[in-house]
Every structure is written in structure tokens, then in C-alpha cells.
Amino acid sequence: MLLLEYRRDRVALSIYMAGCLFDAAADLLRLNPDPGPRPDELFHRFVAWTRHF
């Protein structure tokens, strides 16, 4: 759905997903005392894929 919504503005999609990454990282730090995914894993999960479409 995100690809459809942002099909004409991939930069906006990347910015939106970067915000989601920021929120997810904050949630992980607050809720998960154990080490979670590495920062590069989170980046690929949230942001990196946007450049391929």
C-alpha cells in the first residue's frame, strides 16, 4: 500500500520510513532490555528497500 500511496514521491516515502525507523528504535530501547536488531538491520527493514522501487 505504501508503494501505491507514494508512487509519485519516493523521497517522501523514504522520509516517512525514516520517521518510522526512529519511532521503532525508541520503542525497542524502551520495551526490550535485551539487544534487539542491529541498527543496520533496522535501516534495511525500514528505509533501504524504498530505493529499489
Side-chain angles (χ1 to χ4, degrees):
M1 297 300 295
L2 287 171
L3 290 175
L4 283 174
E5 186 174 341
Y6 289 95
R7 68 184 170 273
R8 293 189 180 107
D9 193 354
R10 294 302 166 93
V11 172
L13 174 60
S14 296
I15 292 169
Y16 172 73
M17 293 308 298
C20 292
L21 167 61
F22 180 81
D23 292 341
D27 288 346
L28 279 171
L29 287 173
R30 184 172 46 87
L31 299 173
N32 187 7
D34 298 320
R38 296 186 329 255
D40 64 316
E41 293 173 327
L42 288 174
F43 177 81
H44 286 288
R45 186 179 300 174
F46 282 89
V47 181
W49 67 270
T50 63
R51 69 177 174 216
H52 297 294
F53 294 96

